[in-house]
Amino acid sequence: MRNFINIAAVSFMLLLSQCSASKDRMIMTVKGPVKASEMGVSLTHEHILVDFIGADSVNESRWDKSIVSEKAMPYLLAIKKLGCKTFVECTPEYIGRDPVLLKSLSESTGLNIITNTGYYGAANDKYVPKHAYEKSAEELASGWVDEWNNGIGSTGIKPGFIKIGVDSKSLSDIDRKLVIAAAKTHLNTGLIIASHTGPAIPALEQLEILEKEGVDPEAFIWVHAQGEKDLSNHIKAAKMGSWIGLDGINEDNCEEYVRLIKNLKDNDLLDKVLLSHDAGWYDPAKENGGEFRGFTTLFEKLIPLLKAEGFTEKEIDQLMITNPAEAYAVRIRKLN
Ligand SMILES: [Zn+2]
């Protein structure tokens, strides 16, 4: 009996410590740390600004922050009105990342906004800076870890995740280097790795690299997984622990997204799904930034469709609140 009580007491304490650990989890926003439990309804893959000029020419003088702000503001206020609390901005350095712009938008809208560290190796490496070819993965990682420790440049603003990108075929040498650098950065920061990927071949190759580096697949978001047509690969990666980013929602594809989400639900993997639009995109090369795509379709069209298909309120909360907090809470996810 006494043994039993001891075991019960110990397991209760363990449970308590686990509870308080998950209660104390933090996400890192452009305004500083916020409790993961307060992240709320979140869009996990969106953009304010993307500059397609290329790594050798991009610089902040190509856009006027106040004009970009003015353009983006109504779209952010629209999602706030729909109950969204957190906006994950996925534009990496060398393709238009502007943490100061994001911070001012966060201050004026009251939304949590999260920015990133890392380099984007998709689009045939147009956005990979020259030094990435010369430096080792360790050296790249040390630059990204430095942004976490000391803030981005002189802004004092810290990244809340690692954003990389790879091309949609088998990984190239530079893609591989970026993935290794991201793995090393994760182990030093606890920031989750969101990798623009698309098809399964590079997704599974990245998971293999992470494993070699000792990183749990739970620290990896397979971004643009809707690009993979064989849905058994979503199941395979999610069962390994990877997050499945279904993040290209628009007015015309909501039915298809219901099918993709149901596939994961039917396999008990709803807790691995992250949803978003990959919308926005003020483009400095275009007159007044070009056409800006809003972020409301998920709320106005996809969620009602999911409910019509029998998804419960709890399952919607899982997709929109629980999963984002679990993914973006900063913590090291190491393989034992
Ligand atoms: Zn994107």
Side-chain angles (χ1 to χ4, degrees):
M1 188 64 193
R2 194 156 164 204
N3 259 344
F4 169 77
I5 291 170
N6 279 345
I7 290 165
V10 167
S11 34
F12 179 69
M13 275 166 58
L14 241 168
L15 191 72
L16 255 187
S17 74
Q18 279 164 352
C19 281
S20 73
S22 68
K23 214 167 61 193
D24 292 345
R25 282 182 183 171
M26 296 298 222
I27 58 166
M28 182 56 74
T29 77
V30 291
K31 292 202 296 180
V34 166
K35 281 185 185 161
S37 58
E38 286 166 16
M39 191 177 176
V41 170
S42 301
L43 290 174
T44 51
H45 187 116
E46 307 293 350
H47 299 272
I48 297 296
L49 179 143
V50 183
D51 186 353
F52 297 101
I53 187 82
D56 43 9
S57 311
V58 70
N59 71 77
E60 287 189 16
S61 71
R62 288 177 37 80
W63 56 88
D64 179 326
K65 291 181 207 294
S66 65
I67 292 173
V68 183
S69 259
E70 206 178 303
K71 177 119 187 195
M73 187 85 78
Y75 297 96
L76 292 175
L77 293 175
I79 53 170
K80 196 184 176 198
K81 221 173 155 187
L82 290 166
C84 183
K85 279 190 77 180
T86 301
F87 181 97
V88 181
E89 215 277 352
C90 287
T91 304
E93 194 182 7
Y94 297 104
I95 178 166
R97 181 186 65 167
D98 186 339
V100 171
L101 166 70
L102 298 181
K103 188 178 179 190
S104 91
L105 277 169
S106 174
E107 278 161 355
S108 45
T109 61
L111 283 170
N112 297 318
I113 299 181
I114 304 181
T115 188
N116 64 81
T117 189
Y119 297 161
Y120 185 81
N124 295 316
D125 309 323
K126 186 177 177 190
Y127 307 103
V128 177
K130 261 206 194 108
H131 69 248
Y133 293 92
E134 289 139 24
K135 287 183 177 171
S136 65
E138 289 74 12
E139 287 169 318
L140 292 179
S142 94
W144 301 349
V145 171
D146 184 65
E147 292 198 327
W148 167 252
N149 286 332
N150 302 308
I152 296 167
S154 57
T155 65
I157 298 167
K158 292 186 175 186
F161 67 109
I162 303 156
K163 173 75 190 290
I164 56 170
V166 299
D167 283 301
S168 55
K169 44 191 192 289
S170 192
L171 298 178
S172 65
D173 287 347
I174 188 70
D175 288 347
R176 210 164 268 283
K177 193 195 278 187
L178 296 180
V179 178
I180 296 171
K184 293 183 185 306
T185 305
H186 173 76
L187 293 174
N188 281 285
T189 61
L191 296 176
I192 193 163
I193 303 161
S195 178
H196 168 112
T197 297
I201 291 174
L204 297 170
E205 286 180 1
Q206 289 177 91
L207 288 169
E208 210 174 289
I209 292 176
L210 293 188
E211 196 183 344
K212 240 183 251 164
E213 295 290 321
V215 174
D216 193 301
E218 289 199 14
F220 183 77
I221 304 172
W222 173 2
V223 171
H224 309 325
Q226 66 273 12
E228 170 58 33
K229 296 306 164 203
D230 178 352
L231 299 192
S232 70
N233 283 318
H234 289 172
I235 305 301
K236 184 176 175 184
K239 280 192 173 157
M240 290 168 74
S242 170
W243 295 92
I244 309 298
L246 304 175
D247 47 30
I249 293 159
N250 65 45
E251 279 295 320
D252 303 321
N253 63 17
C254 288
E255 284 81 8
E256 170 64 3
Y257 272 73
V258 170
R259 191 176 76 89
L260 298 177
I261 298 163
K262 271 180 103 175
N263 170 54
L264 286 144
K265 179 184 164 177
D266 291 345
N267 286 277
D268 263 331
L269 293 164
L270 209 56
D271 60 348
K272 302 307 313 184
V273 181
L274 295 170
L275 301 177
S276 221
H277 307 87
D278 195 14
W281 300 30
Y282 182 104
D283 178 350
K286 292 184 180 156
E287 172 88 30
N288 192 30
E291 208 175 303
F292 197 97
R293 188 157 76 84
F295 315 105
T296 58
T297 309
L298 204 160
F299 303 100
E300 291 172 339
K301 194 163 176 186
L302 182 70
I303 291 179
L305 268 179
L306 287 171
K307 286 183 179 166
E309 287 288 328
F311 279 66
T312 63
E313 210 61 60
K314 199 174 165 217
E315 287 167 335
I316 304 291
D317 285 355
Q318 171 102 50
L319 291 165
M320 300 307 300
I321 301 171
T322 316
N323 291 354
E326 183 68 23
Y328 282 88
V330 180
R331 65 190 191 287
I332 294 168
R333 283 152 268 191
K334 222 188 227 171
L335 279 179
N336 315 311

